[in-house]
Amino acid sequence: MQGEIDEVVRSDQASVTSVFWADRYHQLATTGLDPALSEQLADVQLRGWTLMIEDVARPEYLALFHDGEPIAGAVISRGRRRRIAWIGVHPDHRRRGHGRTMMRAICARADGDERVLELQVDRTNLGAIALYADAGFEPSGPDDSTDHFLVREPCGGTE
């Protein structure tokens, strides 16, 4: 069972942040770094992420809930072009299609508003890049960057 995707009100963004924390810490911990250093880096990333999304005009927080608990989350700007600032699945709930479920919901919302979606991903994150390609994202931006910039036009038209 996939659960339900709901918009998270700003006052309850802690539920999305908890998934972010678990996602980031898991990624850093699997790099082979010292666990204490991984935790410090995840904490710094979480603080930076929180500041970044608060600077985005009226961000939309989405969470996929299962049995009342958030298992996946996303933060999307609501500008003329929608930017996916973060999307992730809690490590305990990966490999079950939850990331695809989140992407379908994000794309459907952008299509309904006829908005372009854009995101940035590390070039070494091949699983995420494959997920985004399946959702219709195409490369955009410089090829010499360590990050991969992707754009998805709305289904049924362009901006």
Side-chain angles (χ1 to χ4, degrees):
M1 178 179 209
Q2 288 285 329
E4 294 184 25
I5 295 177
D6 288 319
E7 187 167 351
V8 178
V9 295
R10 194 170 180 90
S11 62
D12 193 31
Q13 73 187 35
S15 63
V16 177
T17 302
S18 69
V19 176
F20 173 83
W21 169 259
D23 175 56
R24 274 293 162 227
Y25 182 70
H26 175 76
Q27 286 182 11
L28 289 170
T30 59
T31 62
L33 292 176
D34 175 85
L37 179 59
S38 293
E39 188 169 347
Q40 288 174 352
L41 286 172
D43 187 50
V44 167
Q45 286 183 345
L46 177 61
R47 288 182 204 176
W49 175 77
T50 302
L51 291 173
M52 177 191 68
I53 61 175
E54 287 176 356
D55 285 343
V56 175
R58 297 177 19 238
E60 179 177 20
Y61 300 85
L62 296 177
L64 175 61
F65 292 91
H66 181 70
D67 293 334
E69 295 294 320
I71 59 173
V75 179
I76 305 105
S77 71
R78 295 188 201 205
R80 192 169 67 91
R81 294 172 70 97
R82 297 232 170 139
R83 179 166 179 77
I84 300 174
W86 170 77
I87 180 171
V89 177
H90 191 285
D92 294 344
H93 297 277
R94 291 190 177 158
R95 314 297 300 163
R96 299 180 194 165
H98 302 308
R100 289 195 190 287
T101 298
M102 290 296 297
M103 284 305 303
R104 280 193 298 268
I106 292 166
C107 290
R109 286 171 180 263
D111 290 346
D113 293 340
E114 297 185 7
R115 300 288 185 199
V116 171
L117 275 172
E118 59 187 18
L119 58 84
Q120 181 177 343
V121 63
D122 185 299
R123 287 188 182 278
T124 63
N125 193 343
L126 301 180
I129 292 170
L131 172 70
Y132 303 142
D134 286 348
F137 283 84
E138 296 182 359
S140 172
D143 287 334
D144 59 349
S145 170
T146 58
D147 290 327
H148 200 47
F149 298 90
L150 302 171
V151 172
R152 178 186 180 274
E153 297 291 334
C155 291
T158 59
E159 53 175 340

